[in-house]
Amino acid sequence: MLNFDLSPEQKELKQKAREFALNYVLPVAAYYDEIDETPMSVLKVAFDEGLINGDIPKKYGGKGYGLVDGVIITEEIAAAGPGIATTVFDNSLGMEPLILSGNETARQKYLPKILKDFKLMAFATSEPTMGSDVAGIRCNAKQDGDDYVLNGTKYWITNGGLADYFTIFAISEDQARHKGICAFLVEKDWKGVIIGKRIPKLGQRCSNTSGVHLENVRVPKENVLAQPGEGFALAMRTFAHTRPGIGAFAVGTARSAMEYAIDYAKKRHAFGSKISDFQGIQFKIADMYQKIETSRLLTYKAAWEADNGRDSTIAASISKLYATEAAFEVADEALQIFGGYGYTRMYPIEKLFRDARLFRIYEGTSEIQRMIISGYALNAYKPVMPALEDVPVHTKAPAEVNQPGKPETTAWRCRICGYVHYGKEPPERCPYCFFPASAFKSTMPGAKDSA
Ligand SMILES: Cc1cc2nc3c(=O)[nH]c(=O)nc-3n(C[C@H](O)[C@H](O)[C@H](O)COP(=O)(O)OP(=O)(O)OC[C@H]3O[C@@H](n4cnc5c(N)ncnc54)[C@H](O)[C@@H]3O)c2cc1C
């Protein structure tokens, strides 16, 4: 059975996140974007209100929120400030490999600390020379007794300049690509961890993005999250859980862009009417609305799949791909409705437009999502229809052939051009594409193949 209702607890959570977003995020989002800084005081309120780290399981003192709860909160915060939402939810990305790993000792050590002491945790697969090709990691992990020693640079790390802990993905020097990828929990204060300067960006500027350099960083065996060969799968399982959250960033951002555009369209006049009276504007709003609704449904579905123990990889990719592309289109059309004012920095649209652009890049670009989805559709998806050459589509009604008293006949499909021939035998050659009889296959059940 399908149920599109939120539970009473989820409705309460949504309301709480909305109030936080309107009271704490919206008033400061533009300012912190302008000065390129992260509002730590807002992050602290999110922490105190339990809107960050909600996904830490109850066993470790957390609230044990599911992904559906997470995307509900995320949409609200992103609607007020996409960059602040990225900052708030980066802990979920950073912690997810720890939660999914087999390392119970590390979970018991770090998760309660993150909950109690307002610690931030960042996720690091990307490097200066690779992002999409996770198996191409260069950061080196050399085993030394039970410990590992890390050398290399991680780049583009959200909250990199703020985090206390990092999930570092590296490659063992003994194995190539997927077989060598491993993961470690590294503390910021360990010897050899060097944080780079904050990277200046087009949008989401209040979200801190930095490089993290590792120089002979010794990681004890207790902090190994994935041994060589297990790290790639751990990163992919992480994304299957975190990509619906990016979908929710996109839904919230697009929702605000649409709401501002509707408000503007109802007030702006041209040619003696409100511009919202023009069908050209109404259709833009219809497209925005349907894209947001569709994005939200896909996002909820992906989150629901993960919450219900299913492999959410494909649903997560679809929600990320669709919602993030839709959000950019919505922000673009919203800016168009604002006309010249949309292009100024005095209205909120240009910022949403800049902020939305990032969604198509981080946590796997749109191209990578298309590779994942097409890989599934081409190789793993089980079709319902028979193979094309076996489709029983005839130009004569099946009842017309093989009637008692009529000469025995069958339908033969040319596998090249699709022509259907009726007769006991296939034709010598196809009258359309001239391929020989061997190109014909019987489409009548029980009849012999000519090949
Ligand atoms: C603001 C920001 C925050 C980020 N936060 C984090 C973080 O917290 N942690 C982290 O690890 N990373 C983070 N990233 C990195 C992000 O995940 C990567 O930028 C992204 O995965 C793309 O990698 P790349 O930039 O190296 O591009 P590349 O992988 O070099 O790709 C360049 C272009 O080629 C395309 N491309 C690559 N391969 C193919 C292919 N096979 N077929 C077709 N097209 C292809 C890509 O889609 C892209 O358009 C962040 C990035 C940004 C910008």
Side-chain angles (χ1 to χ4, degrees), residues 107-254:
R107 273 196 291 276
Q108 286 190 3
K109 177 173 175 189
Y110 288 100
L111 292 178
K113 269 199 216 178
I114 290 170
L115 268 176
K116 202 167 115 305
D117 301 335
F118 185 39
K119 298 284 187 194
L120 297 181
M121 183 152 179
F123 174 94
T125 51
S126 304
E127 300 185 353
T129 54
M130 63 62 58
S132 304
D133 181 13
V134 174
I137 281 173
R138 290 189 183 180
C139 178
N140 182 267
K142 186 179 164 70
Q143 191 154 15
D144 186 17
D146 283 343
D147 296 352
Y148 279 87
V149 177
L150 304 184
N151 277 289
T153 303
K154 309 310 283 184
Y155 203 62
W156 302 118
I157 308 310
T158 298
N159 287 356
L162 310 171
D164 304 279
Y165 309 130
F166 297 94
T167 303
I168 300 284
F169 286 81
I171 187 150
S172 137
E173 57 178 9
D174 305 326
Q175 295 283 352
R177 292 185 60 82
H178 305 79
K179 287 190 181 150
I181 305 294
C182 36
F184 307 90
L185 195 157
V186 169
E187 298 191 16
K188 175 189 73 177
D189 295 330
W190 284 356
K191 194 161 171 263
V193 178
I194 303 160
I195 309 299
K197 285 177 72 173
R198 189 183 174 104
I199 301 166
K201 307 194 296 287
L202 171 73
Q204 301 211 13
R205 292 199 296 231
C206 67
S207 149
N208 177 296
T209 317
S210 312
V212 178
H213 187 62
L214 303 147
E215 241 173 53
N216 291 320
V217 175
R218 179 166 288 273
V219 184
K221 71 170 191 293
E222 297 77 32
N223 283 38
V224 177
L225 301 183
Q227 291 288 354
E230 296 169 353
F232 185 83
L234 182 63
M236 296 306 123
R237 283 201 291 143
T238 298
F239 291 140
H241 281 232
T242 54
R243 280 177 182 152
I246 311 293
F249 288 156
V251 175
T253 306

Side-chain angles (χ1 to χ4, degrees), residues 160-423:
L162 310 171
D164 304 279
Y165 309 130
F166 297 94
T167 303
I168 300 284
F169 286 81
I171 187 150
S172 137
E173 57 178 9
D174 305 326
Q175 295 283 352
R177 292 185 60 82
H178 305 79
K179 287 190 181 150
I181 305 294
C182 36
F184 307 90
L185 195 157
V186 169
E187 298 191 16
K188 175 189 73 177
D189 295 330
W190 284 356
K191 194 161 171 263
V193 178
I194 303 160
I195 309 299
K197 285 177 72 173
R198 189 183 174 104
I199 301 166
K201 307 194 296 287
L202 171 73
Q204 301 211 13
R205 292 199 296 231
C206 67
S207 149
N208 177 296
T209 317
S210 312
V212 178
H213 187 62
L214 303 147
E215 241 173 53
N216 291 320
V217 175
R218 179 166 288 273
V219 184
K221 71 170 191 293
E222 297 77 32
N223 283 38
V224 177
L225 301 183
Q227 291 288 354
E230 296 169 353
F232 185 83
L234 182 63
M236 296 306 123
R237 283 201 291 143
T238 298
F239 291 140
H241 281 232
T242 54
R243 280 177 182 152
I246 311 293
F249 288 156
V251 175
T253 306
R255 192 184 82 194
S256 291
M258 178 191 72
E259 289 177 4
Y260 295 144
I262 290 174
D263 188 43
Y264 186 84
K266 283 180 175 171
K267 292 172 183 161
R268 178 75 176 179
H269 285 73
F271 300 97
S273 309
K274 286 184 284 186
I275 63 168
S276 62
D277 289 339
F278 301 140
Q279 201 176 47
I281 299 292
Q282 291 166 358
F283 282 8
K284 283 186 197 297
I285 288 168
D287 286 348
M288 290 179 188
Y289 197 90
Q290 68 85 3
K291 282 176 187 168
I292 294 164
E293 283 285 300
T294 310
S295 299
R296 188 182 293 110
L297 283 174
L298 291 171
T299 298
Y300 278 20
K301 176 171 184 277
W304 179 90
E305 283 198 6
D307 281 348
N308 284 278
R310 303 190 183 183
D311 179 358
S312 55
T313 307
I314 300 303
S317 275
I318 295 171
S319 69
K320 203 251 173 200
L321 173 64
Y322 183 88
T324 62
E325 299 214 328
F328 189 66
E329 289 158 14
V330 169
D332 184 39
E333 284 295 51
L335 194 153
Q336 192 70 13
I337 288 175
F338 269 74
Y341 288 111
Y343 202 63
T344 71
R345 298 175 75 176
M346 272 98 81
Y347 277 112
I349 288 294
E350 65 84 29
K351 177 177 172 299
L352 292 177
F353 178 78
R354 287 188 283 111
D355 289 347
R357 188 62 185 82
L358 177 58
F359 300 143
R360 287 163 54 195
I361 297 173
Y362 62 8
E363 285 215 31
T365 61
S366 287
E367 290 78 10
I368 295 304
Q369 305 313 324
R370 286 191 165 87
M371 280 167 61
I372 293 169
I373 298 163
S374 62
Y376 173 78
L378 287 167
N379 304 311
Y381 173 75
K382 300 267 180 295
V384 175
M385 290 296 138
L388 200 48
E389 60 195 25
D390 295 328
V391 175
V393 176
H394 303 136
T395 49
K396 288 185 187 173
E400 282 180 43
V401 292
N402 288 339
Q403 290 292 319
K406 287 198 175 174
E408 195 187 331
T409 185
T410 193
W412 301 90
R413 182 187 296 283
C414 173
R415 282 180 284 205
I416 304 300
C417 71
Y419 161 64
V420 178
H421 166 87
Y422 289 89

